[in-house]
């Protein structure tokens, strides 16, 4: 469904991604893990063309989307839950969701709103509240809901666990699992390796802008190279949270 | 009381201009220094249609405000869009340059002399407690408030209005929702120019229109926007009204020659004492 071929991105003289190739099949749940500054967010943002890239191609559903602008990519069926959630904090929960449905016809938005409230009851309870008032976990749910409002075929997730309590992280992942079971294709990038690999079918490990490992998620979970990529040493407890 | 009435009149005009500043600031983060020129164009357009060509007012008015909207949208397409590096300082400079260009265009098109626009409604003085208020003033105040209220509805209810607020919050996130920030920016300039056009139409029968009218009204509107606090629409209206009232009261105490300076005195005071403006609230930011 998504195919990224030898993508390179640099910020000025600093190369952030070098020759990164990733593919995700339809209906798959793929996690891409890597430590701070490995280039995970850069990868997602350049897939969505939020930032430009210098080399490589991105193909989505058989069509090249390398040069399309972000709104067009969204219309094409790919959605992103951006890093740090980036909800519209001065707008209400309902308005946030409506913005997600911006490209969809009004009756579909209405229908989808109900679906979102069913899926995330807390959003329904607080639909009139300013989104900035929500807790971190609720904001994450809202960000996911907003992305789902675009009726995506594929969802890109950027660090859903960022700044959340372990219990809330689990809740978020359970929702993702549920979404994956409905046939949504998911590409997730995450620092929290254990969590991300536990729920995914396949995984990639990104280090310093390069893919250094890939394979079945369950195999990567026990891989020593993964630990090394994170810590250089086996500080097991620290990353196994 | 008489000062209050005349203050409210000019204040509503400042309020409209301040709203225009606010809309563009909120969606693009820049101050559009050509805002005053939009007002002048509104006045000139109504002069052209209504006074020169004797088009009925019912037609001349929609044509003028629609024309204002188009001028604003074109302004964005021509001046802002072609700016390669859209940093704030570049865009400031561009709007400043554009305002001078627009002024010169107006000078060539309509000449250097002030032009008088015919009255829209019969002039009568209404007796009010403590003074009189002219029917024109009443018209200005009512229409300004109606337009401000309409804008509020547009931002709260309509799809594109909400999209404008989304862009104000987070442009990147708005793009990931499929909102074209480019289109929203065009609309923002159009709406801002529309508001200015309405202001221009309203005041021209009273104050006449001259090609360089835009400078003063633009700066005063800017003062009003700062006084109320950027980012808050009702604050802009309130800021405009307060500035107008303050101006006319100050004329009663100190020589009226200093009247124009009062606006700038106010802006300095605000910037020294309360830089967020009187009603400016800090935007909710997650750290």
């Amino acid at each position: 469904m998504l195919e990224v071929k030898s993508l390179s991105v640099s910020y000025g003289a600093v190369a952030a991604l070098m020759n990164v190739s990733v593919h995700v099949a339809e209906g798959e749940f793929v996690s891409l893990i890597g430590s701070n500054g490995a280039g995970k967010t850069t990868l997602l943002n350049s897939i969505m063309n939020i930032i430009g890239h210098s080399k490589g191609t991105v193909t989505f559903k058989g069509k090249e989307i390398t040069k399309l602008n972000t709104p067009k990519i969204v219309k094409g069926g790919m959605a992103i839950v951006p890093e740090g959630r980036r909800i519209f904090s001065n707008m209400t929960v309902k308005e946030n969701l409506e913005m997600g449905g911006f490209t969809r016809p009004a009756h579909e938005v209405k229908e989808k709103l109900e679906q979102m409230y069913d899926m995330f009851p807390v959003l329904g309870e607080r639909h009139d509240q300013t989104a900035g008032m929500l807790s971190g976990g609720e904001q994450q749910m809202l960000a996911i809901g907003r992305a789902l409002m675009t009726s995506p075929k594929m969802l890109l997730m950027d660090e859903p666990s960022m700044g959340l309590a372990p219990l809330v992280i689990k809740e978020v992942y359970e929702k993702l699992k549920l979404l994956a079971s409905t046939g949504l294709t998911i590409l997730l990038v995450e620092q929290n390796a254990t969590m991300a690999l536990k729920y995914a079918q396949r995984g990639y490990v990104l280090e310093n802008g390069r893919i250094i490992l890939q394979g079945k998620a369950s195999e990567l979970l026990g891989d020593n190279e993964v630990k090394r990529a994170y810590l250089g040493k086996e500080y097991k407890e620290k990353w196994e949270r | 009381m008489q000062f209050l009435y005349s203050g409210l009149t000019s204040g509503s005009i400042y309020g409209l201009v301040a709203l225009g500043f606010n809309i563009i600031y909120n969606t693009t983060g820049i101050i559009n220094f050509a805002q005053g020129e939009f007002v002048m164009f509104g006045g000139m357009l109504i002069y052209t249609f209504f006074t020169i060509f004797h088009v009925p007012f019912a037609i001349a008015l929609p044509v003028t405000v629609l024309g204002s909207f188009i001028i604003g949208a074109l302004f964005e397409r021509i001046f802002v869009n072609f700016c390669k590096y859209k940093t704030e300082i570049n865009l400031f400079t561009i709007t400043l340059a554009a305002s001078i260009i627009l002024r010169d265009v107006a000078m060539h098109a309509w000449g250097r002399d002030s032009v008088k626009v015919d009255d829209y409604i019969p002039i009568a003085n209404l007796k009010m407690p403590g003074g009189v208020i002219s029917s024109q003033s009443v018209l200005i105040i009512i229409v300004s408030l109606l337009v401000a209220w309409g804008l509020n509805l547009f931002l709260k209810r309509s799809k594109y209005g909400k999209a404008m607020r989304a862009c104000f919050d987070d442009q990147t996130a708005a793009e990931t929702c499929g909102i074209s920030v480019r289109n929203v920016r065009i609309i923002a300039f159009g709406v801002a120019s529309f508001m200015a056009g309405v202001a221009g139409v309203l005041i021209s029968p009273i104050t006449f229109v001259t090609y360089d009218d835009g400078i003063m009204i633009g700066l005063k509107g800017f003062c009003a926007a700062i006084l109320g606090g950027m980012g808050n629409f009702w604050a802009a209206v309130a800021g405009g009204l307060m500035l107008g009232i303050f101006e006319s009261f100050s004329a009663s105490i100190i020589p009226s020659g200093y009247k124009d300076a009062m606006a700038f005195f106010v802006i300095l005071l605000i910037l020294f004492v309360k830089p967020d403006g009187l009603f400016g609230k800090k935007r909710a930011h997650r750290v």
Side-chain angles (χ1 to χ4, degrees):
Chain A
M1 182 160 233
L2 175 75
E3 188 147 7
V4 179
K5 265 193 201 146
S6 43
L7 195 72
S8 297
V9 179
S10 48
Y11 297 113
V14 187
L17 287 180
M18 283 159 280
N19 259 328
V20 170
S21 297
V22 171
H23 67 93
V24 183
E26 190 161 359
E28 226 181 356
F29 189 149
V30 175
S31 288
L32 186 139
I33 57 172
S35 60
N36 220 342
K40 304 183 298 290
T41 300
T42 305
L43 175 64
L44 291 197
N45 284 350
S46 60
I47 290 175
M48 294 299 289
N49 214 354
I50 294 169
I51 54 168
H53 37 248
S54 37
K55 260 187 252 143
T57 55
V58 182
T59 319
F60 178 56
K61 290 198 295 189
K63 268 181 275 173
E64 194 180 324
I65 57 165
T66 321
K67 295 251 162 9
L68 290 185
N69 63 22
T70 311
K72 287 229 175 75
I73 296 177
V74 174
K75 268 176 220 157
M78 184 143 59
I80 185 170
V81 180
E83 184 181 29
R85 306 180 268 273
R86 304 187 80 149
I87 50 161
F88 305 121
S89 47
N90 292 304
M91 299 171 82
T92 66
V93 169
K94 187 171 173 226
E95 283 170 338
N96 265 272
L97 292 173
E98 281 171 354
M99 285 297 102
F102 188 78
T103 56
R104 320 303 306 178
H107 63 92
E108 195 184 321
V109 172
K110 223 172 183 179
E111 223 169 85
K112 281 242 152 207
L113 263 179
E114 290 309 314
Q115 282 178 29
M116 290 305 129
Y117 291 158
D118 280 346
M119 189 167 170
F120 307 107
V122 64
L123 297 186
E125 283 161 31
R126 312 211 155 176
H127 70 274
D128 248 352
Q129 264 185 31
T130 312
M133 300 293 177
L134 299 182
S135 73
E138 289 161 353
Q139 289 192 5
Q140 186 67 60
M141 302 293 181
L142 178 57
I144 296 174
R146 189 180 67 185
L148 291 176
M149 289 293 290
T150 63
S151 302
K153 300 280 175 298
M154 176 163 189
L155 185 65
L156 307 181
M157 292 280 305
D158 200 341
E159 297 262 355
S161 74
M162 192 198 224
L164 299 184
L167 263 178
V168 184
I169 296 178
K170 190 151 186 261
E171 206 185 320
V172 172
Y173 272 95
E174 287 299 328
K175 295 286 183 206
L176 289 181
K177 193 174 159 187
L178 194 79
L179 286 170
S181 71
T182 63
L184 185 70
T185 312
I186 298 178
L187 172 62
L188 176 111
V189 309
E190 181 66 280
Q191 233 182 102
N192 188 334
T194 326
M195 210 57 180
L197 290 176
K198 222 197 260 167
Y199 283 85
Q201 292 148 7
R202 227 151 42 76
Y204 290 91
V205 182
L206 193 67
E207 190 189 15
N208 294 332
R210 287 195 175 85
I211 301 279
I212 57 161
L213 269 180
Q214 55 174 306
K216 270 194 183 157
S218 51
E219 286 166 11
L220 287 178
L221 253 178
D223 197 304
N224 277 331
E225 185 67 13
V226 176
K227 291 169 201 164
R228 194 210 52 76
Y230 266 77
L231 302 156
K233 276 195 224 158
E234 285 185 43
Y235 277 101
K236 228 174 150 219
E237 288 76 22
K238 274 208 172 157
W239 69 278
E240 237 186 27
R241 289 232 309 162
Chain B
M1 278 324 263
Q2 190 56 51
F3 292 115
L4 181 69
Y5 300 141
S6 67
L8 280 177
T9 311
S10 52
S12 355
I13 296 296
Y14 298 153
L16 281 183
V17 182
L19 277 174
F21 273 110
N22 248 298
I23 294 166
I24 291 180
Y25 176 77
N26 284 353
T27 40
T28 62
I30 64 168
I31 307 288
N32 171 30
F33 282 111
Q35 193 65 30
E37 270 60 40
F38 291 161
V39 180
M40 178 269 294
F41 267 102
M44 286 300 187
L45 284 178
I46 196 79
Y47 166 72
T48 311
F49 295 127
F50 186 55
T51 305
I52 298 186
F53 292 118
H54 299 291
V55 179
F57 186 66
I59 300 171
L61 176 72
V63 171
T64 299
V65 291
L66 198 71
S68 298
F69 184 90
I70 294 169
I71 288 175
L74 281 179
F75 181 89
E76 196 277 342
R77 285 290 80 189
I78 295 169
F79 294 110
V80 181
N81 183 43
F82 283 129
C83 176
K84 195 170 175 199
Y85 298 106
K86 292 189 177 55
T87 59
E88 278 159 16
I89 191 80
N90 285 359
L91 291 173
F92 278 141
T93 320
I94 281 181
T95 60
L96 204 56
S99 76
I100 296 170
I101 294 173
L102 290 182
R103 214 174 295 147
D104 282 357
V105 168
M107 189 182 84
H108 284 287
W110 288 287
R112 289 169 173 274
D113 299 327
S114 297
V115 295
K116 166 91 171 77
V117 177
D118 299 342
D119 295 309
Y120 314 128
I121 52 169
I123 299 175
N125 283 330
L126 308 176
K127 267 221 161 310
M128 297 281 282
V132 289
I133 187 166
S134 77
S135 52
Q136 285 168 323
S137 296
V138 176
L139 181 77
I140 288 178
I141 295 168
I142 291 176
V143 173
S144 307
L145 288 178
L146 275 181
V147 169
W149 180 68
L151 178 73
N152 189 43
L153 275 189
F154 168 72
L155 289 170
K156 285 246 162 72
R157 298 281 161 79
S158 77
K159 192 171 161 181
Y160 270 92
K162 284 179 193 166
M164 278 170 73
R165 284 163 57 215
C167 285
F168 173 39
D169 261 13
D170 191 328
Q171 296 201 358
T172 307
E175 293 233 294
T176 69
C177 289
I179 299 169
S180 160
V181 172
R182 181 181 136 255
N183 289 352
V184 168
R185 210 169 53 213
I186 297 174
I187 295 173
F189 271 89
V191 171
S193 175
F194 166 85
M195 313 285 289
V198 173
V201 170
L202 287 174
I203 52 164
S204 25
I206 304 184
T207 63
F208 304 178
V209 206
T210 321
Y211 75 95
D212 62 355
D213 266 356
I215 308 175
M216 212 26 128
I217 192 107
L219 285 174
K220 295 248 182 88
F222 178 61
C223 291
I226 295 287
L227 175 65
M230 280 290 192
N232 184 335
F233 290 96
W234 286 115
V237 180
L241 291 176
M242 282 165 57
L243 184 69
I245 295 167
F246 185 74
E247 234 183 37
S248 70
F249 271 107
S250 72
S252 69
I253 319 168
I254 54 175
S256 59
Y258 289 106
K259 192 177 143 204
D260 283 338
M262 285 325 282
F264 305 104
F265 173 68
V266 168
I267 194 176
L268 285 180
L269 209 63
I270 283 291
L271 288 178
F272 289 155
V273 181
K274 202 166 179 306
D276 286 329
L278 289 182
F279 313 101
K281 55 173 183 207
K282 294 237 165 36
R283 284 165 63 183
H285 269 306
R286 249 194 132 75
V287 196

